[in-house]
Amino acid sequence: ELKVEQNPLFLSMQEGKNYTIYCNYSTTSDRLYWYRQDPGKSLESLFVLLSNGAVKQEGRLMASLDTKARLSTLHITAAVHDLSATYFCAVHLPNFGNEKLTFGTGTRLTIIP
Amino acid sequence: DAGVIQSPRHEVTEMGQEVTLRCKPISGHNSLFWYRQTMMRGLELLIYFNNNVPIDDSGMPEDRFSAKMPNASFSTLKIQPSEPRDSAVYFCASRTRSHEQFFGPGTRLTVL
């Protein structure tokens, strides 16, 4: 059974600082997603990582994937308040025809002015 | 592009009543997913359809839950009879051929 773990679960950081959220998964995956969720809102797609070594960046967020280590990271650079949200990673197993994603527990990020 | 549309946005019902949640995927997306989100269990996939055909329903909690997709632009998730433990936010998502899943606004269900 695929297990997806994120850490930390909660993160408070000051504006302007850098930090990294980690997503570990237990079995081979061919695709990994990062989502953002604001309180009471839906999930917003941030990144889809499709191969080992993939790196994608959007604004102050950068995601990377190491399939050999079964690890993805979401790096936040010079955090600003509007990045406060819960961030989820989701993992897809390479099972032809099955598009099921398994989500991590989420990391609740709070940016303090 | 209107995005994924869900209705109702909020539903409050009493235990034992039937609940029907509705979803309209983004036009042209060929896969549709139903998820449930709770504080205790996080985000769980209930069922998903590909080209209107159910592919994986292993996440459906029990026989009280059923889902249909009669055509490419509409799906329903039905709970009958509903129980207080079904209280959650139910999300519908649709997927492009490039693997990206887009989520709807969700339906917040409260079963009293």
Side-chain angles (χ1 to χ4, degrees), chain B residues 19 27 35 42 52-54 57 61 64-65 70 84-86 89 92 107:
Chain B
V19 175
S27 178
Y35 291 91
N52 312 337
V53 176
D57 64 356
R64 297 184 299 107
F65 285 69
R85 60 192 169 122
D86 302 330
V89 180
C92 175
T107 296

Side-chain angles (χ1 to χ4, degrees), chain B residues 9 51 90 103-105 108 110:
Chain B
R9 297 291 306 276
N51 295 322
Y90 291 81
F103 281 71
R108 183 173 296 274
T110 303

Side-chain angles (χ1 to χ4, degrees), chain A residues 1-11 21-25 32-37 43 85-91 101-109, chain B residues 36-44:
Chain A
E1 179 186 346
L2 172 62
K3 293 186 179 180
V4 182
E5 294 182 348
Q6 287 183 236
N7 67 83
L9 298 183
F10 299 93
L11 175 58
I21 299 170
Y22 298 88
C23 174
N24 292 272
Y25 51 96
L32 189 138
Y33 300 72
W34 283 98
Y35 286 89
R36 167 183 173 147
Q37 186 177 35
L43 280 79
T86 298
Y87 293 86
F88 292 92
C89 65
V91 175
L101 297 184
T102 301
F103 280 77
T105 50
T107 296
R108 183 175 293 183
L109 173 65
Chain B
R36 178 172 67 176
Q37 186 176 37
T38 62
M39 290 293 292
M40 292 298 295
R41 300 177 65 88
L43 198 62
E44 305 172 278

Side-chain angles (χ1 to χ4, degrees), chain A residues 34-95:
Chain A
W34 283 98
Y35 286 89
R36 167 183 173 147
Q37 186 177 35
D38 292 304
K41 302 293 185 181
S42 186
L43 280 79
E44 174 190 355
S45 177
L46 296 175
F47 302 109
V48 182
L49 302 170
L50 300 177
S51 61
N52 187 42
V55 177
K56 290 194 174 180
Q57 183 165 5
E58 181 72 33
R60 301 175 187 274
L61 300 177
M62 183 175 70
S64 65
L65 178 61
D66 182 342
T67 57
K68 293 179 181 177
R70 299 176 184 167
L71 170 69
S72 179
T73 61
L74 181 66
H75 187 72
I76 302 147
T77 302
V80 293
H81 179 69
D82 64 6
L83 289 180
S84 296
T86 298
Y87 293 86
F88 292 92
C89 65
V91 175
H92 175 262
L93 290 180
N95 181 357

Side-chain angles (χ1 to χ4, degrees), chain B residues 26-98:
Chain B
I26 295 172
S27 178
H29 287 194
N30 62 338
S31 297
L32 182 142
F33 304 78
W34 283 101
Y35 291 91
R36 178 172 67 176
Q37 186 176 37
T38 62
M39 290 293 292
M40 292 298 295
R41 300 177 65 88
L43 198 62
E44 305 172 278
L45 177 68
L46 300 177
I47 185 171
Y48 91 89
F49 296 84
N50 196 39
N51 295 322
N52 312 337
V53 176
I55 302 299
D56 187 336
D57 64 356
S58 59
M60 295 285 264
E62 49 199 90
D63 291 345
R64 297 184 299 107
F65 285 69
S66 63
K68 294 181 179 179
M69 191 166 186
N71 57 63
S73 59
F74 183 66
S75 177
T76 59
L77 178 68
K78 185 177 294 186
I79 308 171
Q80 166 63 17
S82 58
E83 297 182 1
R85 60 192 169 122
D86 302 330
S87 298
V89 180
Y90 291 81
F91 289 105
C92 175
S94 66
R95 185 187 73 95
T96 68
R97 293 186 184 278
S98 64

